[in-house]
Short mmCIF file of all heavy atoms in Angstrom, two decimals:
data_model
loop_
_atom_site.label_atom_id
_atom_site.label_comp_id
_atom_site.label_asym_id
_atom_site.label_seq_id
_atom_site.Cartn_x
_atom_site.Cartn_y
_atom_site.Cartn_z
N LEU A 663 -316.47 -95.32 85.21
CA LEU A 663 -317.31 -95.42 86.41
C LEU A 663 -318.59 -94.59 86.26
O LEU A 663 -319.69 -95.05 86.60
CB LEU A 663 -316.51 -94.93 87.62
CG LEU A 663 -317.17 -95.05 89.00
CD1 LEU A 663 -317.47 -96.50 89.33
CD2 LEU A 663 -316.28 -94.42 90.07
N LEU A 664 -318.46 -93.39 85.71
CA LEU A 664 -319.62 -92.53 85.48
C LEU A 664 -320.59 -93.18 84.51
O LEU A 664 -321.81 -93.21 84.75
CB LEU A 664 -319.17 -91.17 84.95
CG LEU A 664 -320.27 -90.21 84.53
CD1 LEU A 664 -321.12 -89.81 85.73
CD2 LEU A 664 -319.67 -88.96 83.86
N ALA A 665 -320.06 -93.72 83.40
CA ALA A 665 -320.93 -94.36 82.41
C ALA A 665 -321.65 -95.56 83.01
O ALA A 665 -322.84 -95.77 82.76
CB ALA A 665 -320.10 -94.78 81.19
N GLY A 666 -320.94 -96.35 83.81
CA GLY A 666 -321.56 -97.52 84.42
C GLY A 666 -322.67 -97.16 85.39
O GLY A 666 -323.75 -97.77 85.37
N ILE A 667 -322.42 -96.14 86.21
CA ILE A 667 -323.44 -95.72 87.19
C ILE A 667 -324.65 -95.13 86.48
O ILE A 667 -325.80 -95.42 86.84
CB ILE A 667 -322.83 -94.71 88.18
CG1 ILE A 667 -321.77 -95.40 89.05
CG2 ILE A 667 -323.91 -94.09 89.05
CD1 ILE A 667 -321.00 -94.46 89.95
N ARG A 668 -324.43 -94.31 85.46
CA ARG A 668 -325.53 -93.64 84.77
C ARG A 668 -326.38 -94.61 83.94
O ARG A 668 -327.54 -94.33 83.68
CB ARG A 668 -324.98 -92.53 83.88
CG ARG A 668 -324.47 -91.33 84.65
CD ARG A 668 -325.56 -90.73 85.51
NE ARG A 668 -325.16 -89.50 86.16
CZ ARG A 668 -325.42 -88.28 85.68
NH1 ARG A 668 -326.05 -88.15 84.53
NH2 ARG A 668 -325.03 -87.21 86.35
N THR A 669 -325.79 -95.72 83.50
CA THR A 669 -326.56 -96.69 82.68
C THR A 669 -327.07 -97.86 83.53
O THR A 669 -327.50 -98.87 82.98
CB THR A 669 -325.69 -97.24 81.53
OG1 THR A 669 -324.51 -97.87 82.08
CG2 THR A 669 -325.27 -96.13 80.59
N ARG A 670 -327.05 -97.71 84.83
CA ARG A 670 -327.43 -98.81 85.72
C ARG A 670 -328.86 -99.28 85.46
O ARG A 670 -329.15 -100.47 85.54
CB ARG A 670 -327.29 -98.36 87.17
CG ARG A 670 -327.57 -99.44 88.20
CD ARG A 670 -327.30 -98.94 89.58
NE ARG A 670 -328.02 -97.69 89.85
CZ ARG A 670 -327.90 -97.00 90.98
NH1 ARG A 670 -327.07 -97.41 91.93
NH2 ARG A 670 -328.59 -95.88 91.16
N GLY A 671 -329.74 -98.37 85.12
CA GLY A 671 -331.14 -98.75 84.91
C GLY A 671 -331.42 -99.35 83.55
O GLY A 671 -332.42 -100.03 83.37
N GLN A 672 -330.54 -99.08 82.56
CA GLN A 672 -330.81 -99.56 81.20
C GLN A 672 -329.89 -100.69 80.76
O GLN A 672 -330.27 -101.52 79.94
CB GLN A 672 -330.66 -98.41 80.19
CG GLN A 672 -331.60 -97.24 80.45
CD GLN A 672 -330.92 -96.13 81.22
OE1 GLN A 672 -329.72 -96.19 81.48
NE2 GLN A 672 -331.68 -95.11 81.59
N ASP A 673 -328.67 -100.73 81.27
CA ASP A 673 -327.66 -101.67 80.80
C ASP A 673 -327.40 -102.73 81.86
O ASP A 673 -326.97 -102.42 82.97
CB ASP A 673 -326.36 -100.91 80.48
CG ASP A 673 -325.28 -101.81 79.89
OD1 ASP A 673 -325.57 -102.99 79.62
OD2 ASP A 673 -324.16 -101.31 79.71
N ARG A 674 -327.66 -103.99 81.50
CA ARG A 674 -327.43 -105.07 82.46
C ARG A 674 -325.95 -105.31 82.71
O ARG A 674 -325.59 -106.01 83.65
CB ARG A 674 -328.10 -106.35 81.94
CG ARG A 674 -329.62 -106.32 81.99
CD ARG A 674 -330.22 -107.59 81.44
NE ARG A 674 -329.93 -107.74 80.02
CZ ARG A 674 -330.29 -108.80 79.29
NH1 ARG A 674 -330.92 -109.80 79.85
NH2 ARG A 674 -330.01 -108.85 78.00
N SER A 675 -325.09 -104.76 81.88
CA SER A 675 -323.64 -104.92 82.05
C SER A 675 -323.01 -103.73 82.76
O SER A 675 -321.79 -103.58 82.74
CB SER A 675 -322.97 -105.12 80.68
OG SER A 675 -323.52 -106.22 79.99
N TRP A 676 -323.85 -102.91 83.39
CA TRP A 676 -323.32 -101.69 84.01
C TRP A 676 -322.26 -101.98 85.05
O TRP A 676 -321.31 -101.20 85.21
CB TRP A 676 -324.47 -100.88 84.63
CG TRP A 676 -325.11 -101.56 85.81
CD1 TRP A 676 -326.12 -102.45 85.78
CD2 TRP A 676 -324.73 -101.42 87.18
NE1 TRP A 676 -326.43 -102.88 87.06
CE2 TRP A 676 -325.59 -102.26 87.94
CE3 TRP A 676 -323.77 -100.67 87.85
CZ2 TRP A 676 -325.50 -102.36 89.33
CZ3 TRP A 676 -323.68 -100.76 89.23
CH2 TRP A 676 -324.54 -101.60 89.95
N TRP A 677 -322.40 -103.09 85.75
CA TRP A 677 -321.45 -103.39 86.83
C TRP A 677 -320.06 -103.70 86.28
O TRP A 677 -319.05 -103.45 86.96
CB TRP A 677 -321.96 -104.55 87.68
CG TRP A 677 -322.14 -105.84 86.92
CD1 TRP A 677 -323.23 -106.22 86.20
CD2 TRP A 677 -321.17 -106.88 86.78
NE1 TRP A 677 -323.02 -107.46 85.62
CE2 TRP A 677 -321.77 -107.89 85.97
CE3 TRP A 677 -319.88 -107.07 87.27
CZ2 TRP A 677 -321.09 -109.06 85.62
CZ3 TRP A 677 -319.21 -108.25 86.93
CH2 TRP A 677 -319.83 -109.21 86.12
N LEU A 678 -319.99 -104.20 85.04
CA LEU A 678 -318.68 -104.44 84.42
C LEU A 678 -317.98 -103.11 84.13
O LEU A 678 -316.76 -102.99 84.33
CB LEU A 678 -318.85 -105.24 83.13
CG LEU A 678 -319.19 -106.72 83.29
CD1 LEU A 678 -319.49 -107.35 81.93
CD2 LEU A 678 -318.04 -107.47 83.97
N GLU A 679 -318.74 -102.13 83.68
CA GLU A 679 -318.16 -100.80 83.45
C GLU A 679 -317.71 -100.16 84.75
O GLU A 679 -316.66 -99.50 84.81
CB GLU A 679 -319.18 -99.92 82.74
CG GLU A 679 -319.57 -100.43 81.36
CD GLU A 679 -320.71 -99.62 80.77
OE1 GLU A 679 -320.48 -98.44 80.46
OE2 GLU A 679 -321.82 -100.17 80.61
N VAL A 680 -318.50 -100.35 85.80
CA VAL A 680 -318.11 -99.84 87.12
C VAL A 680 -316.83 -100.52 87.59
O VAL A 680 -315.91 -99.86 88.10
CB VAL A 680 -319.25 -100.05 88.14
CG1 VAL A 680 -318.76 -99.78 89.56
CG2 VAL A 680 -320.43 -99.15 87.81
N LEU A 681 -316.74 -101.83 87.41
CA LEU A 681 -315.56 -102.57 87.82
C LEU A 681 -314.33 -102.11 87.04
O LEU A 681 -313.24 -101.94 87.62
CB LEU A 681 -315.80 -104.07 87.60
CG LEU A 681 -314.72 -105.04 88.12
CD1 LEU A 681 -314.56 -104.90 89.62
CD2 LEU A 681 -315.08 -106.48 87.76
N GLU A 682 -314.51 -101.88 85.74
CA GLU A 682 -313.39 -101.40 84.92
C GLU A 682 -312.95 -100.01 85.39
O GLU A 682 -311.75 -99.71 85.47
CB GLU A 682 -313.80 -101.35 83.46
CG GLU A 682 -312.67 -100.90 82.53
CD GLU A 682 -313.11 -100.79 81.09
OE1 GLU A 682 -314.33 -100.95 80.82
OE2 GLU A 682 -312.25 -100.54 80.23
N GLY A 683 -313.92 -99.15 85.70
CA GLY A 683 -313.59 -97.82 86.19
C GLY A 683 -312.83 -97.85 87.50
O GLY A 683 -311.84 -97.12 87.68
N LEU A 684 -313.28 -98.68 88.43
CA LEU A 684 -312.59 -98.80 89.71
C LEU A 684 -311.17 -99.33 89.53
O LEU A 684 -310.24 -98.89 90.23
CB LEU A 684 -313.39 -99.72 90.64
CG LEU A 684 -314.73 -99.18 91.13
CD1 LEU A 684 -315.48 -100.24 91.92
CD2 LEU A 684 -314.54 -97.92 91.97
N ALA A 685 -310.99 -100.28 88.59
CA ALA A 685 -309.66 -100.82 88.33
C ALA A 685 -308.73 -99.73 87.81
O ALA A 685 -307.55 -99.65 88.21
CB ALA A 685 -309.74 -101.97 87.32
N GLY A 686 -309.24 -98.86 86.93
CA GLY A 686 -308.42 -97.77 86.42
C GLY A 686 -308.03 -96.78 87.50
O GLY A 686 -306.87 -96.36 87.58
N ILE A 687 -308.99 -96.40 88.34
CA ILE A 687 -308.69 -95.46 89.42
C ILE A 687 -307.68 -96.06 90.39
O ILE A 687 -306.74 -95.39 90.83
CB ILE A 687 -309.99 -95.08 90.15
CG1 ILE A 687 -310.90 -94.28 89.21
CG2 ILE A 687 -309.68 -94.27 91.40
CD1 ILE A 687 -312.28 -94.01 89.76
N ALA A 688 -307.86 -97.35 90.71
CA ALA A 688 -306.93 -98.02 91.64
C ALA A 688 -305.52 -98.06 91.05
O ALA A 688 -304.53 -97.83 91.76
CB ALA A 688 -307.42 -99.43 91.94
N ALA A 689 -305.42 -98.33 89.74
CA ALA A 689 -304.09 -98.38 89.10
C ALA A 689 -303.43 -97.01 89.11
O ALA A 689 -302.22 -96.89 89.37
CB ALA A 689 -304.23 -98.89 87.67
N GLY A 690 -304.21 -95.96 88.85
CA GLY A 690 -303.65 -94.62 88.85
C GLY A 690 -303.15 -94.20 90.23
O GLY A 690 -302.07 -93.64 90.37
N VAL A 691 -303.96 -94.49 91.25
CA VAL A 691 -303.55 -94.15 92.62
C VAL A 691 -302.33 -94.96 93.03
O VAL A 691 -301.40 -94.43 93.66
CB VAL A 691 -304.73 -94.40 93.59
CG1 VAL A 691 -304.26 -94.24 95.03
CG2 VAL A 691 -305.88 -93.45 93.28
N ALA A 692 -302.32 -96.25 92.66
CA ALA A 692 -301.17 -97.10 93.00
C ALA A 692 -299.89 -96.57 92.37
O ALA A 692 -298.82 -96.58 92.99
CB ALA A 692 -301.43 -98.53 92.55
N ALA A 693 -299.99 -96.08 91.13
CA ALA A 693 -298.81 -95.53 90.46
C ALA A 693 -298.28 -94.30 91.18
O ALA A 693 -297.06 -94.08 91.25
CB ALA A 693 -299.14 -95.20 89.00
N LEU A 694 -299.17 -93.50 91.74
CA LEU A 694 -298.76 -92.27 92.41
C LEU A 694 -298.07 -92.53 93.75
O LEU A 694 -297.26 -91.70 94.19
CB LEU A 694 -299.97 -91.35 92.63
CG LEU A 694 -300.57 -90.71 91.39
CD1 LEU A 694 -301.83 -89.92 91.75
CD2 LEU A 694 -299.55 -89.79 90.71
N VAL A 695 -298.39 -93.65 94.40
CA VAL A 695 -297.83 -93.91 95.73
C VAL A 695 -296.68 -94.92 95.68
O VAL A 695 -296.26 -95.42 96.72
CB VAL A 695 -298.93 -94.41 96.69
CG1 VAL A 695 -300.03 -93.37 96.84
CG2 VAL A 695 -299.54 -95.73 96.21
N LEU A 696 -296.17 -95.21 94.50
CA LEU A 696 -295.06 -96.17 94.39
C LEU A 696 -293.81 -95.64 95.09
O LEU A 696 -293.47 -94.46 94.93
CB LEU A 696 -294.74 -96.45 92.93
CG LEU A 696 -295.78 -97.23 92.12
CD1 LEU A 696 -295.38 -97.30 90.65
CD2 LEU A 696 -295.95 -98.64 92.69
N PRO A 697 -293.11 -96.48 95.85
CA PRO A 697 -291.85 -96.06 96.46
C PRO A 697 -290.82 -95.72 95.38
O PRO A 697 -290.70 -96.45 94.39
CB PRO A 697 -291.41 -97.31 97.26
CG PRO A 697 -292.66 -98.09 97.45
CD PRO A 697 -293.49 -97.85 96.23
N PRO A 698 -290.09 -94.63 95.53
CA PRO A 698 -289.14 -94.21 94.48
C PRO A 698 -288.11 -95.27 94.13
O PRO A 698 -287.69 -95.36 92.97
CB PRO A 698 -288.48 -92.97 95.11
CG PRO A 698 -289.46 -92.48 96.12
CD PRO A 698 -290.14 -93.70 96.66
N GLU A 699 -287.67 -96.07 95.12
CA GLU A 699 -286.59 -97.03 94.86
C GLU A 699 -287.04 -98.20 93.98
O GLU A 699 -286.19 -98.89 93.40
CB GLU A 699 -286.01 -97.55 96.17
CG GLU A 699 -287.01 -98.29 97.07
CD GLU A 699 -287.77 -97.35 97.98
OE1 GLU A 699 -287.71 -96.13 97.76
OE2 GLU A 699 -288.41 -97.86 98.92
#
């Protein structure tokens, strides 16, 4: 996410890096809130 935001002005694919970063953060948070059962 940091790399995507920082390269927004130079890299036309910055939004893909941002999307990948958000997907990783969402997966990590989802893993932490999983019901124990």
